[in-house]
Amino acid sequence: MRSTDQLVPLASTGVGAMGYEYLLRRGLPADRLDALIPQFDLRFDEQERRVVFPVREGGRELGYTARAIDAKVRKRWLSYPVEGGHKTTIYEADRVWAGGNTLFVVEGPFDALMVTAAIQPGNDSVATAFFGSLPTDAQLALVVAAVPLYRIVYMMLDANVWGRCRRLAQQLAQMAAAPNVGSINIGIENRDPGATRFEELQRLVAFASASWSPEIHWMWERRLVVGGTKGA
């Protein structure tokens, strides 16, 4: 694998177009993707056929994690320069320190990208990721430090680890000695934020950005949104 500066930016034409088309197929609207490419500095590795998510903290380049665009690949995700080497930080850490309405904590960078795309203009919420469902002590400490910067912080891990998601939220609330940490059960129907239909994810993000509930069970509470009743 090559360093970030050797990789082309994601784009709708040229070498990076294969990665661009992959994200469109995953449900990202083209207008949102065009805005997010420079924001996240998304790249494409045409040799490995992977969409590249650079990892930075404090303005320092730490490497990247990369998602294969082909289905039949032994490892969907790879990290550079060290495999699994980003567990000392959280995704888009510098954006997290800016604070905002709601901080959504998800498993992977693609989930964070989708959640960010679903945030409506004027909503200064932020999405970050643990690079997996098992955060390290260092990652938990970073999220705890960010809790005072947000109205509320929501753990939103994949549906198959809802119990872990809920326990993490409770643990973080205790560590931060703050009540504004909750959890979102995205629902087994949706599987994970990155796999959720984009319009559905927009509804969920808008609902959570107005909610004070310590737990959101989306497949129940979505009826309030679809039925025309506003947030919790």
Side-chain angles (χ1 to χ4, degrees):
M1 298 177 74
R2 298 173 293 167
S3 62
T4 308
D5 59 4
Q6 294 177 297
L7 304 175
V8 298
L10 211 62
S12 59
T13 59
V15 176
M18 286 187 291
Y20 186 94
E21 291 296 329
Y22 167 78
L23 293 180
L24 292 182
R25 293 196 302 272
R26 292 294 303 269
L28 266 170
D31 60 333
R32 296 297 296 130
L33 179 54
D34 290 340
L36 292 173
I37 288 171
Q39 181 177 325
F40 286 85
D41 191 23
L42 299 176
R43 305 291 181 102
F44 185 67
D45 186 336
E46 76 281 4
Q47 295 179 6
E48 297 282 341
R49 293 176 59 84
R50 292 177 179 271
V51 175
V52 171
F53 298 78
V55 179
R56 300 182 175 94
E57 183 183 355
R60 295 183 300 116
E61 180 84 37
L62 302 181
Y64 59 80
T65 184
R67 176 59 159 90
I69 65 172
D70 300 312
K72 295 181 179 180
V73 175
R74 188 172 66 86
K75 282 195 171 185
R76 291 186 303 169
W77 288 93
L78 290 176
S79 297
Y80 173 90
V82 179
E83 182 59 27
H86 302 311
K87 297 294 284 183
T88 59
T89 190
I90 53 179
Y91 187 53
E92 288 292 294
D94 295 342
R95 283 174 50 76
V96 171
W97 305 139
N101 180 336
T102 303
L103 176 62
F104 295 93
V105 185
V106 297
E107 290 192 22
F110 179 71
D111 295 327
L113 182 71
M114 289 295 290
V115 172
T116 303
I119 296 171
Q120 295 291 340
N123 180 350
D124 62 352
S125 295
V126 175
T128 186
F130 283 139
F131 303 105
S133 65
L134 294 169
T136 62
D137 290 343
Q139 290 175 315
L140 291 176
L142 290 172
V143 174
V144 167
V147 168
L149 305 176
Y150 291 87
R151 179 188 63 86
I152 195 164
V153 175
Y154 275 123
M155 297 294 107
M156 189 164 64
L157 306 185
D158 294 0
N160 65 335
V161 291
W162 160 240
R164 182 183 303 160
C165 178
R166 187 182 190 186
R167 290 190 299 272
L168 270 176
Q170 294 167 346
Q171 179 184 353
L172 285 167
Q174 291 178 344
M175 292 171 67
N180 61 322
V181 181
S183 52
I184 297 175
N185 184 352
I186 195 167
I188 201 68
E189 298 89 342
N190 293 316
R191 197 174 73 200
D192 62 64
T196 302
R197 191 168 54 88
F198 186 70
E199 292 78 8
E200 181 84 357
L201 189 60
Q202 283 183 305
R203 294 190 190 103
L204 169 54
V205 167
F207 182 89
S209 297
S211 176
W212 289 98
S213 175
E215 288 186 11
I216 294 175
H217 296 266
W218 178 240
M219 298 315 293
W220 287 94
E221 293 171 354
R222 71 182 295 276
R223 296 176 303 171
L224 301 176
V225 178
V226 175
T229 305
K230 293 184 178 179

